[in-house]
Amino acid sequence: MKIITGRKIDLLRKLDEACKKVRTLDNEEDKFEYYNYIGNLYAMIDSIKIDYDKVFGTQEEFDSFMARSKKKNREMEDNFLRYRTFHNIYLGDILDITNDGLSNIELDKVDCDKARFSEDDFYSVFYEFLKTLGLEKEFDRFIKERKLFSKKVTSDNDYGGCILIDPISCDMSVFAGDFQYNLESMFTCSHEFGHVFDLKDLKGDNSACLLTNYFYKSLYNESISGLFEKLLADFLLKQNIMRDEVLEKQAKSFLNNYDYVLAAYIFTLFEGEQIRDQAYAGMSVDDALSIIGEKFEDKNILSIFLHMHGLKFPDDLGYSYGGIMSTFLKDSIDKEGFESKLFRDFMDIRTSEFTPHFIEKHDLSPKQYKKLYNQEIKRIQTN
């Protein structure tokens, strides 16, 4: 069965509807999120540039949006700086754990890009996986309503995806970068359907405000998506489907998570003025090394990392905490199912402004993380 049914004409139709809809909105929070949604729609449509007149109408409206966006970013920076000491200690300990674990992983045993399914097999395997999570009907609906898209990407073998959500209706569309019927694309789809699962309950009169909080104030918005990737890996291994390739994919995910934690930790070493308004983005690698280099034994490796990975605030923080929280959530679900107290409590607080309280309350400490992380490493080694 064909998975990718979305077409460019469907996105153009959504864009026209959204540009008309935003004119009818009075609530400033709703308008702000809707402008973000429109911007993301433009980003997903190939060979099209933003028509600012069509979107904003007036220069005053555009300036108002930019001022509000700057205010939201400043609030996000304030929150990070408020808890910078906590992030520094917590992420520093997690970084040490992941660094030790990576030394025990062998990569490139198999080529995941060549792990391909037929169209029918891809559909049936992914359908059965989503069925274990109660999302199989959503999957079929996305296919039928042309809400699954493939997005061209510029770099080779980049299977990154994204999800777009209308902040008023909570209508969602899923994008898989350069979708192919292979294992990489299946993991991308599982990640994005984690977002579908995560966001589908936010619909209501206050949905735009919740979305703003989630993506501007919380650091947990990549946790459920990361959890779904772990659940897919378990499902495929239990079904003995592409076992070697799945283990290779998991090994590479540990490396990716390490990169995010390292980048997030680096942010904790900057001063406030270097964080504000993304001032760090204007630094050369040498400037950055002069500020943070003394904290690392090997400046050459750090220099290579900064050149290749770069720094993206707050994305690096979101993905680092997403990897950490998904590990704890996966363990809790394995033991108690989705009714576990940890999972239920997490779903209650996930859209709130970040504080260390949830982590401290549930003892989601580096010590506890190390036990779970080492278990995952051992599973890869013994298979």
Side-chain angles (χ1 to χ4, degrees):
M1 175 180 286
K2 190 175 179 64
I3 304 296
I4 301 299
T5 56
R7 304 163 300 177
K8 184 175 181 178
I9 191 173
D10 300 313
L11 293 176
L12 291 171
R13 186 180 299 115
K14 284 178 181 290
L15 181 60
D16 285 341
E17 292 171 354
C19 289
K20 293 175 183 176
K21 176 71 175 179
V22 74
R23 297 280 192 275
T24 70
L25 301 177
D26 296 322
N27 182 281
E28 290 301 317
E29 200 71 60
D30 291 348
K31 286 171 67 175
F32 175 74
E33 273 303 318
Y34 226 83
Y35 282 134
N36 280 327
Y37 169 62
I38 291 171
N40 290 331
L41 269 173
Y42 268 107
M44 291 300 108
I45 302 174
D46 295 323
S47 305
I48 186 172
K49 295 182 179 180
I50 295 180
D51 184 339
Y52 289 95
D53 289 336
K54 178 179 179 178
V55 176
F56 295 100
T58 66
Q59 183 67 41
E60 182 181 9
E61 186 69 10
F62 174 74
D63 291 343
S64 175
F65 167 76
M66 293 302 295
R68 197 171 187 84
S69 182
K70 185 174 183 178
K71 181 175 182 290
K72 296 291 183 184
N73 286 325
R74 178 56 63 93
E75 290 172 352
M76 185 166 44
E77 294 161 356
D78 287 343
N79 178 272
F80 170 74
L81 293 170
R82 187 178 307 124
Y83 297 111
R84 183 175 55 174
T85 300
F86 171 84
H87 294 308
N88 176 264
I89 296 171
Y90 189 75
L91 293 173
D93 288 345
I94 297 292
L95 187 64
D96 289 338
I97 294 167
T98 54
N99 188 41
D100 292 341
L102 287 177
S103 63
N104 298 315
I105 293 180
E106 291 183 49
L107 293 172
D108 299 320
K109 291 182 178 180
V110 294
D111 188 349
C112 292
D113 291 339
K114 295 180 180 178
R116 297 180 180 275
F117 300 87
S118 69
E119 288 188 10
D120 287 344
D121 285 347
F122 188 104
Y123 170 81
S124 61
V125 170
F126 196 60
Y127 179 92
E128 289 302 319
F129 164 65
L130 291 180
K131 191 174 181 179
T132 66
L133 302 164
L135 287 176
E136 74 279 9
K137 292 181 180 179
E138 284 287 288
F139 181 44
D140 277 346
R141 184 175 67 81
F142 271 64
I143 294 173
K144 182 179 179 181
E145 297 180 6
R146 299 185 182 278
K147 293 180 179 178
L148 285 169
F149 298 85
S150 178
K151 175 71 173 73
K152 290 182 180 180
V153 293
T154 55
S155 59
D156 292 338
N157 297 324
D158 183 352
Y159 295 93
C162 75
I163 186 166
L164 293 189
I165 178 168
D166 182 312
I168 306 300
S169 68
C170 288
D171 177 67
M172 289 182 269
S173 299
V174 165
F175 294 79
D178 282 348
F179 178 89
Q180 301 175 43
Y181 290 90
N182 63 8
L183 188 66
E184 290 282 2
S185 287
M186 186 173 287
F187 271 94
T188 297
C189 288
S190 72
H191 182 100
E192 300 311 327
F193 269 89
H195 285 305
V196 171
F197 177 90
D198 191 16
L199 300 175
K200 64 185 177 68
D201 293 331
L202 297 186
K203 185 174 182 178
D205 294 339
N206 203 32
S207 58
C209 183
L210 288 174
L211 287 169
T212 298
N213 286 346
Y214 207 6
F215 290 104
Y216 278 88
K217 295 184 178 182
S218 169
L219 294 179
Y220 295 141
N221 52 57
E222 292 294 341
S223 299
I224 301 301
S225 52
L227 169 65
F228 267 50
E229 290 192 55
K230 294 178 184 294
L231 293 174
L232 174 63
D234 265 16
F235 175 82
L236 295 174
L237 290 173
K238 288 175 183 177
Q239 300 295 323
N240 202 28
I241 297 172
M242 297 185 180
R243 188 174 189 82
D244 291 343
E245 290 81 0
V246 171
L247 292 171
E248 174 75 14
K249 174 65 179 174
Q250 284 195 294
K252 288 183 177 179
S253 74
F254 287 128
L255 180 60
N256 290 335
N257 287 337
Y258 171 82
D259 286 349
Y260 284 122
V261 174
L262 174 55
Y265 175 69
I266 288 172
F267 279 117
T268 71
L269 304 177
F270 287 140
E271 297 298 328
E273 64 269 19
Q274 293 152 353
I275 297 290
R276 296 287 189 198
D277 300 322
Q278 297 187 339
Y280 66 88
M283 293 182 191
S284 67
V285 170
D286 288 341
D287 288 340
L289 288 174
S290 68
I291 297 169
I292 63 175
E294 66 180 27
K295 299 292 184 179
F296 297 88
E297 293 181 5
D298 194 328
K299 289 187 179 181
N300 288 329
I301 292 179
L302 180 60
S303 176
I304 293 171
F305 173 81
L306 290 173
H307 275 293
M308 295 183 65
H309 181 90
L311 298 174
K312 298 176 284 293
F313 184 92
D315 294 10
D316 290 322
L317 282 157
Y319 281 108
S320 62
Y321 275 100
I324 296 165
M325 290 302 111
S326 64
T327 298
F328 284 115
L329 292 172
K330 169 67 164 50
D331 177 65
S332 177
I333 290 168
D334 284 345
K335 293 174 180 176
E336 304 174 47
F338 282 90
E339 293 303 313
S340 73
K341 178 171 175 52
L342 178 65
F343 182 76
R344 288 187 286 107
D345 285 356
F346 177 81
M347 295 300 282
D348 285 342
I349 63 92
R350 72 194 191 283
T351 62
S352 304
E353 184 173 19
F354 177 86
T355 75
H357 177 70
F358 177 78
I359 291 173
E360 294 168 346
K361 175 184 176 182
H362 289 278
D363 190 26
L364 307 182
S365 64
K367 181 180 179 180
Q368 297 300 325
Y369 180 80
K370 184 176 183 178
K371 294 178 183 177
L372 302 179
Y373 186 82
N374 287 340
Q375 288 174 13
E376 292 185 329
I377 295 290
K378 185 175 182 180
R379 180 168 72 164
I380 292 176
Q381 290 175 314
T382 57
N383 284 277

